[in-house]
Amino acid sequence: MLVVQRVRVRWGAHARGATHAVRRRSVADAYDLPPLSAGEMLVVHDVLADEADGYRPASSVGSGVQAVQVVGLHVDLTADGVVVERLPAGAAYPAWRTSYRMFTLQPGQYGRYRANFRFTGCACAARWYYEAWTVHVALASPRPDLFLGAVADHDVDQRVHLYGGPARRTARQRPA
């Protein structure tokens, strides 16, 4: 089974200061998985901690290819494992217009992808907001603590400085 957990932290432009940054950093980057349907091949646990709600996490569970696409990923199941790609982002910054192959998971492996974005509302009422994502992907049997304290076999960090400055992008694989 392919298990995906996306943890998003969302805040508005008014919450960019140090006080709010401390609160955002206190949001966990992984959560217990809820009970998941054993009959599904692709399961997504989506968690949102919104500044507007006091950073209280709210979650939903989806399944199938569309649920995986909603969290910004494309997956190709192969005989040997699964290829995980990041889809183009609809963010104002960074403006990624192409997909990006992040990693290939073998059975039992876990990959993590981190990114942050600046979004804007529609042109009629433009309003900036920001999101920081941690996306966990495992080709494994689900258990509640699957992503808690786990060391990723593949770690892709595409976070950037959202307020100007140099980008920080890394990819790491755990030694075999």
Side-chain angles (χ1 to χ4, degrees):
M1 174 183 281
L2 184 71
V3 182
V4 177
Q5 181 181 77
R6 175 178 67 168
V7 178
R8 289 179 297 158
V9 179
R10 179 184 294 157
W11 66 98
H14 64 280
R16 294 188 328 185
T19 302
H20 289 278
V22 169
R23 291 215 41 218
R24 284 193 301 276
R25 282 193 297 272
S26 71
V27 174
D29 64 358
Y31 289 87
D32 276 333
L33 291 172
L36 302 174
S37 173
E40 299 291 341
M41 281 299 299
L42 304 172
V43 179
V44 176
H45 179 221
D46 198 14
V47 180
L48 173 62
D50 196 327
E51 178 261 334
D53 293 326
Y55 297 108
R56 261 189 329 272
S59 69
S60 63
V61 176
S63 62
V65 173
Q66 286 183 328
V68 173
Q69 290 173 345
V70 166
V71 298
L73 300 178
H74 172 78
V75 295
D76 281 322
L77 300 172
T78 68
D80 299 332
V82 63
V83 176
V84 180
E85 294 181 359
R86 181 210 71 216
L87 292 173
Y93 184 80
W96 294 330
R97 302 290 182 235
T98 60
S99 61
Y100 172 82
R101 179 177 275 190
M102 293 190 299
F103 41 77
T104 300
L105 297 176
Q106 305 301 317
Q109 287 190 324
Y110 152 55
R112 179 175 58 194
Y113 157 57
R114 292 180 286 187
N116 55 358
F117 306 97
R118 183 174 63 212
F119 295 96
T120 186
C122 68
C124 61
R127 192 181 114 238
W128 293 102
Y129 67 97
Y130 304 87
E131 287 187 358
W133 292 13
T134 302
V135 183
H136 308 276
V137 184
L139 188 56
S141 297
R143 61 180 196 280
D145 64 346
L146 180 61
F147 300 118
L148 298 178
V151 175
D153 296 290
H154 306 277
D155 193 10
V156 176
D157 188 341
Q158 294 186 327
R159 292 176 291 182
V160 298
H161 193 286
L162 293 173
Y163 317 120
R168 172 181 62 195
R169 294 184 181 190
T170 63
R172 176 189 67 74
Q173 290 189 11
R174 190 170 68 184

